[in-house]
Amino acid sequence: MVLRGRLVLGLHTLMTLLSPGEVGAIKADHMGSYGPAFYQSYDGAGQFTYDFDGEQLFSVDLKKREAVWRLPEFGNFAYFDPQNGLFSIAMIKAHLEDLVERSNRTRAPNVPPRVAVLPKSRVQLGQPNVLICIVDNIFPPVINVSWLRNGQPVTQGVTQTGFYAQPDHSFRKFHYLTFVPLADDFYDCKVEHWGLDQPLFQHWEPQVPTPLPDTTGTLVCALGLALGLGGFLVGITLIITGTCLSSTPR
């Protein structure tokens, strides 16, 4: 997929729940953040999210026009009308062209993202696990992320989050792959972004301890036995020498 750069407008709105603290001080126990909401001219894309204590609860995608909960279970305890999020995106869209003109149509910078891949839990061959591809330092928030197993695309067991806003106005995204690790398999998280000259492949494969060959194990056992026997003989010698010295007339 060929990506073309466009200007991006982000809007951040915070709602903080504060509790009383000491006199002259305010202490924040929890923070709920409506946003970021953004709209970008490329592909008519936009997103509205709600975060609580740094964790994304749901996002509203402009194309899906529905609230997508970070975990399906969250939707059982709360409700959010996606029209509220779509309204915020529409307001940003309405002002985008005016802001572009004020900036003399200066293009937004394309920043190379950082990528890391790690398993959710300790890897055991043959036991189901989850690979996590963390893509950080994203700007603008237009990116393609895909999984490859042994060089071949994987589409089953793949999920992802929306964009997480960072304090420096960049974004972070998480992609997940449910898999069963096998000794001969390897995986790659493929990332395409305007800040990269070519796709970035972050490699991962299970680290399986190499068993000792039979000859090596035998040699180690023999060496341990020899050292034990040597220590035994030295001990006997010291005992005999001490006995002889104690029985010698002064």
Side-chain angles (χ1 to χ4, degrees), residues 111-128:
V111 181
R114 297 185 296 261
V115 185
V117 175
L118 51 89
K120 181 179 180 180
S121 57
R122 188 170 68 89
V123 175
Q124 297 183 21
L125 296 182
Q127 298 299 317

Side-chain angles (χ1 to χ4, degrees), residues 11-248:
L11 174 65
H12 301 258
T13 306
L14 296 180
M15 179 186 71
T16 305
L17 305 178
L18 300 177
S19 65
E22 298 178 1
V23 176
I26 298 178
K27 180 181 177 181
D29 286 338
H30 303 285
M31 184 176 73
S33 169
Y34 282 104
F38 66 81
Y39 175 84
Q40 51 196 7
S41 54
Y42 174 80
D43 201 25
Q47 178 185 288
F48 175 92
T49 60
Y50 177 76
D51 299 342
F52 183 75
D53 285 353
E55 294 294 333
Q56 186 180 104
L57 297 186
F58 66 84
S59 63
V60 178
D61 189 278
L62 180 58
K63 293 182 178 179
K64 294 181 179 179
R65 307 185 69 84
E66 62 182 13
V68 181
W69 294 91
R70 173 66 185 85
L71 294 176
E73 294 81 2
F74 292 166
N76 297 330
F77 302 100
Y79 172 78
F80 180 80
D81 186 353
Q83 293 302 320
N84 296 330
L86 295 173
F87 178 73
S88 297
I89 299 174
M91 289 183 60
I92 300 171
K93 179 181 178 181
H95 293 89
L96 180 59
E97 188 60 31
D98 183 45
L99 292 174
V100 170
E101 290 295 336
R102 292 186 183 184
S103 67
N104 290 327
R105 296 192 171 272
T106 303
R107 288 185 176 273
N110 298 324
V111 181
R114 297 185 296 261
V115 185
V117 175
L118 51 89
K120 181 179 180 180
S121 57
R122 188 170 68 89
V123 175
Q124 297 183 21
L125 296 182
Q127 298 299 317
N129 209 321
V130 177
L131 273 182
I132 307 173
C133 183
I134 306 171
V135 188
D136 201 5
N137 199 46
I138 304 171
F139 193 86
V142 180
I143 196 168
N144 281 342
V145 179
S146 55
W147 289 100
L148 292 92
R149 173 177 174 266
N150 300 332
Q152 300 301 316
V154 179
T155 56
Q156 298 295 323
V158 173
T159 57
Q160 61 179 298
T161 67
F163 290 98
Y164 283 73
Q166 302 302 297
D168 61 357
H169 304 297
S170 66
F171 294 85
R172 177 182 297 163
K173 213 168 187 290
F174 298 85
H175 287 252
Y176 303 91
L177 173 64
T178 302
F179 77 116
V180 177
L182 300 175
D184 296 330
D185 286 347
F186 62 89
Y187 294 84
D188 291 281
C189 180
K190 179 182 177 182
V191 176
E192 297 174 280
H193 188 263
W194 296 332
L196 300 170
D197 295 330
Q198 57 187 2
L200 173 63
F201 293 84
Q202 188 64 37
H203 186 76
W204 184 89
E205 58 185 77
Q207 302 297 319
V208 182
T210 304
L212 292 174
D214 293 340
T215 54
T216 304
T218 303
L219 180 60
V220 170
C221 290
L223 181 59
L225 181 60
L227 290 175
L229 182 59
F232 175 76
L233 293 176
V234 170
I236 294 296
T237 303
L238 291 176
I239 292 174
I240 295 174
T241 304
T243 303
C244 292
L245 290 176
S246 60
S247 60
T248 302

